[in-house]
Amino acid sequence: MKTYKEEIADLLGPHTGLAPQEIAFAITLPQHAGHGDFAFPCFPLAKKLRKAPPAIANELAGLIKPTASIVKVEALNGYLNFFVDQTDFARRTLGRIASEQAAYGSSRRGEGKTVVIDFSSPNMGKELAFHHLRGTMIGHSLSKLYARAGYKVERVNHLGDWGTSYGKLIVMFLREGLTEADLAAMTIERLNGLYTAFSQAATADPAMEDKAREAFQRLEAGDAHYRRLWQAFKDITLIELNRIYRFLEVEFDSYIGEAHFVDHMPKTMDLLTSKGLVQKSQGAEIVDLSAHNMPPALLRKSDGATLYITRDIAAAVYRAETYGFAKCLYVVDNGQSLHFQQLIKVLELGGFPWASGIEHIPFGLVLIKSEDGGWEKGKTRSGQASLLKDVLEAAREKIEGIILEKNPEAAGKEALAMRIGVGALVFSELKNRRLNDIRFEWDQALSFEGDSGPYVQNAHVRLCSILRKSAEKAGRAKADRPSENGTDGIDFSRFPEPQAQTLIRSLSLFPDKINTAIEANDPCPMAQYALEIAEGAHGFIHSCRVLGSAEEKDRLFLIDCARIVLGRTLDMIGVPPIEEM
């Protein structure tokens, strides 16, 4: 069966001279529900037809004849608006959801293509801070979105496991008289404490920074003792990282970090030199980017130490050779924009054809309120940041208190509270546009009302609860999933209520919302869409009695379709779609 966009394209094609694909791509949704179900903007035709868009719309409206499914066409302010038969609309939308089930919204736009998504990428030797959550969950959501669109997704956690910061850690470890014998009892909290202690010591004695650089030079040169310390610090950190990732339900395909590319440095430098890019500057080696209005890319310092960009170039070459990617996305905050501009430009100048597929996906900061009332990003190395594990635990405790008050008999309260807490924290960050800085506020994030994670989770719970009660009423142990039985016996004309039509309209948008989020490389449209479905579901349940109504079978079918789409939407933004609360 053709989609409405395809039908409209067939109707417009003979009168516009445009290809059906062009027309379908241009079709949008009217800003107001009273203006129809689909709209075609006539503005792109103005130059071609030498007429004003309103005149074109009026002319086309007189040429297009209604059909059985498209019942009215009218012109408005340069748009051609199409009204569809609501029974047919419900049949197509809900029928497709019932037929495709969890696959609804999937596409083949990325078939045969690989996308590498580099996200989270924490530094070893310290704990995840709360401000790391946003980049981790943006990347996690993008990986699900691209997979939904048919891409082969490689989720890479490019660990920050190399650099001068490890010199600092080693210096502090040795300064406190610790030895390899102490590593067995070493914890991530103790390593975090060494970072903080170094920062304080360096403030009092600036020479500490030189010692750290010297220690890293020894590490990079292969000092066996330093390498053993480094490996132990990394192993200790990974244990804690994976514990937190399990709470967030985040997974990776690769944990290949910066250290992996240390042995690639000579090859990388030789490759760039052979392309005529490397120049000497005060003993250092650089790529001059002044012609591109950028400072030079420093590849190797005068002491021989490499830098982030050198290792990122090696990593990009490795990923191109290993994955043959169509896209390689770096989900890293706004503060690293210049770094990625330089990286991409160096690769372009090097003539790497795949450089055009590399893209920095910047995002704004998560700000927390300081003791003096200002908003700031915490700094883990100086000990001035909220640790993610502490924020997760605080959220769990607050939610568990609410559960105890509202439903003291709920089973598995601690695990349930953690999933709701994770949903609250994740939603509070992804509901905002990716590039915006956000101010985190506890009360709003954990609220069960308004635009919050618990609110959208509660909508999913209510949908599941109705289906569960329906099964109990019928004496079945398992909750009904009416949509799994197909559409036989469903009367699609029994959804005349505005609340039902609003919900069905929202459910129809799922495939388009996925495409919108992918085009923007931003999960925000999906989070906002989850709110739209939640509001539609709450509105329908409040206004239209389901159980015991004359329309019970049909309304249960709609409830189940809404459960499928809302559940998939929540999963795609990293908010657990719980079924009981």
Side-chain angles (χ1 to χ4, degrees):
M1 180 182 292
K2 287 188 175 182
T3 66
Y4 285 111
K5 289 186 178 181
E6 289 170 337
E7 285 191 32
I8 293 170
D10 287 344
L11 292 173
L12 286 174
H15 305 293
T16 62
L18 298 176
Q21 297 89 337
E22 290 181 88
I23 298 172
F25 183 79
I27 293 171
T28 184
L29 300 176
Q31 290 186 338
H32 303 286
H35 293 168
D37 299 288
F38 298 94
F40 175 74
C42 297
F43 305 96
L45 293 172
K47 185 176 181 180
K48 178 181 180 181
L49 301 180
R50 299 178 182 274
K51 294 180 182 179
I56 298 172
N58 286 328
E59 183 177 320
L60 289 173
L63 295 172
I64 303 299
K65 303 301 180 185
T67 67
S69 55
I70 299 172
V71 296
K72 186 169 71 169
V73 182
E74 66 178 23
L76 181 66
N77 300 327
Y79 284 86
L80 195 61
N81 295 335
F82 296 82
F83 296 75
V84 304
D85 178 79
Q86 292 307 306
T87 298
D88 184 64
F89 189 80
R91 180 184 297 108
R92 290 199 198 189
T93 299
L94 302 183
R96 182 178 174 188
I97 296 169
S99 173
E100 298 180 10
Q101 292 288 312
Y104 177 57
S106 299
S107 72
R108 302 171 65 179
R109 64 177 285 180
E111 190 173 47
K113 298 177 183 177
T114 296
V115 57
V116 176
I117 306 180
D118 178 329
F119 65 103
S120 196
S121 305
N123 288 327
M124 295 291 93
K126 63 177 185 175
E127 298 182 80
L128 285 173
F130 179 46
H131 61 253
H132 290 116
L133 178 65
R134 194 173 191 198
T136 299
M137 300 314 293
I138 289 173
H140 175 65
S141 181
L142 290 179
S143 71
K144 287 178 173 286
L145 287 163
Y146 273 93
R148 196 80 175 180
Y151 285 86
K152 184 178 188 303
V153 178
E154 295 291 341
R155 298 162 296 178
V156 175
N157 197 337
H158 186 68
L159 302 172
D161 57 0
W162 206 245
T164 307
S165 56
Y166 301 96
K168 295 177 181 180
L169 204 54
I170 290 170
V171 166
M172 213 63 215
F173 180 87
L174 298 176
R175 189 183 188 199
E176 296 200 1
L178 299 171
T179 68
E180 289 185 42
D182 297 301
L183 291 173
M186 185 64 63
T187 64
I188 188 64
E189 292 83 4
R190 186 74 179 92
L191 289 178
N192 230 45
L194 292 177
Y195 265 122
T196 303
F198 182 92
S199 179
Q200 295 167 348
T203 300
D205 179 12
M208 290 286 290
E209 297 287 352
D210 293 329
K211 293 179 181 178
R213 284 189 284 272
E214 292 168 4
F216 175 59
Q217 287 175 27
R218 287 182 60 179
L219 176 64
E220 196 166 32
D223 183 285
H225 176 45
Y226 283 19
R227 285 291 179 102
R228 287 193 297 272
L229 293 180
W230 168 81
Q231 186 64 55
F233 297 160
K234 180 176 177 178
D235 292 342
I236 292 164
T237 310
L238 281 173
I239 291 171
E240 174 62 11
L241 286 177
N242 284 316
R243 186 180 76 87
I244 299 297
Y245 289 141
R246 281 194 294 273
F247 282 132
L248 300 175
E249 300 179 24
V250 170
E251 296 179 342
F252 296 93
D253 300 301
S254 166
Y255 281 87
I256 297 177
E258 292 183 79
H260 175 82
F261 300 102
V262 171
D263 294 337
H264 292 239
M265 292 301 97
K267 177 184 175 182
T268 300
M269 293 300 298
D270 288 346
L271 182 61
L272 296 176
T273 300
S274 70
K275 293 176 178 290
L277 296 178
V278 181
Q279 299 180 18
K280 290 284 188 179
S281 176
Q282 298 180 341
E285 291 176 287
I286 67 165
V287 175
D288 182 7
L289 299 176
S290 58
H292 306 281
N293 299 313
M294 282 184 265
L298 179 57
L299 303 178
R300 188 152 52 196
K301 294 190 281 190
S302 57
D303 61 11
T306 55
L307 292 98
Y308 288 125
I309 194 166
T310 329
R311 297 186 285 275
D312 275 349
I313 292 169
V317 172
Y318 171 85
R319 291 171 185 176
E321 293 175 347
T322 303
Y323 304 118
F325 60 74
K327 293 185 178 185
C328 182
L329 309 180
Y330 292 80
V331 184
V332 185
D333 70 60
N334 276 327
Q336 297 298 315
S337 292
L338 175 61
H339 169 82
F340 285 103
Q341 289 169 15
Q342 290 179 310
L343 172 66
I344 294 169
K345 183 54 65 177
V346 169
L347 293 171
E348 288 176 351
L349 293 174
F352 297 103
W354 40 262
S356 60
I358 292 181
E359 187 174 353
H360 176 211
I361 310 300
F363 56 89
L365 302 178
V366 177
L367 306 175
I368 55 176
K369 189 170 286 188
S370 63
E371 292 181 0
D372 62 6
W375 294 91
E376 64 183 18
K377 173 187 173 183
K379 300 175 183 176
T380 49
R381 288 180 183 169
S382 58
Q384 298 173 349
S386 298
L387 297 178
L388 180 52
K389 69 175 185 182
D390 293 339
V391 177
L392 285 170
E393 181 58 23
R396 186 199 63 75
E397 289 180 356
K398 287 177 181 288
I399 295 294
E400 189 170 358
I402 296 172
I403 293 174
L404 284 170
E405 180 182 327
K406 295 186 174 184
N407 186 13
E409 303 303 319
K413 288 184 284 292
E414 184 173 338
L416 176 61
M418 177 59 82
R419 298 192 85 207
I420 297 173
V422 166
L425 297 175
V426 171
F427 193 83
S428 72
E429 302 201 357
L430 298 195
K431 71 179 182 181
N432 298 279
R433 291 189 182 278
R434 171 169 55 80
L435 289 170
N436 292 351
D437 289 346
I438 60 176
R439 296 179 175 184
F440 176 76
E441 298 188 67
W442 274 109
D443 291 343
Q444 196 284 325
L446 300 182
S447 173
F448 280 71
E449 303 295 331
D451 56 344
S452 69
Y455 174 77
V456 293
Q457 286 177 312
N458 186 50
H460 188 262
V461 168
R462 290 187 73 187
L463 295 169
C464 293
S465 176
I466 291 172
L467 294 170
R468 191 163 51 248
K469 288 177 180 177
S470 169
E472 291 170 357
K473 186 178 74 169
R476 289 185 286 273
K478 185 180 178 182
D480 275 344
R481 295 290 187 255
S483 64
E484 293 178 352
N485 300 321
T487 60
D488 288 348
I490 302 300
D491 186 348
F492 292 100
S493 69
R494 302 183 79 171
F495 301 114
E497 302 85 1
Q499 295 85 359
Q501 291 186 18
T502 295
L503 180 55
I504 294 170
R505 180 182 176 84
S506 292
L507 300 182
S508 75
L509 299 177
F510 187 48
D512 288 336
K513 294 293 184 180
I514 293 173
N515 286 331
T516 298
I518 289 175
E519 289 298 324
N521 281 316
D522 189 351
C524 176
M526 296 304 296
Q528 292 297 324
Y529 178 57
L531 274 175
E532 180 181 329
I533 302 174
E535 289 167 355
H538 283 307
F540 174 69
I541 293 168
H542 177 75
S543 301
C544 303
R545 182 182 177 188
V546 179
L547 299 179
S549 68
E551 303 86 358
E552 178 175 326
K553 181 177 181 179
D554 307 305
R555 289 178 176 175
L556 281 172
F557 187 84
L558 174 54
I559 288 289
D560 195 30
C561 288
R563 173 196 64 82
I564 291 170
V565 179
L566 180 54
R568 291 298 90 202
T569 302
L570 293 178
D571 178 70
M572 292 176 74
I573 58 173
V575 173
I578 58 178
E579 298 193 4
E580 295 185 65
M581 187 178 285

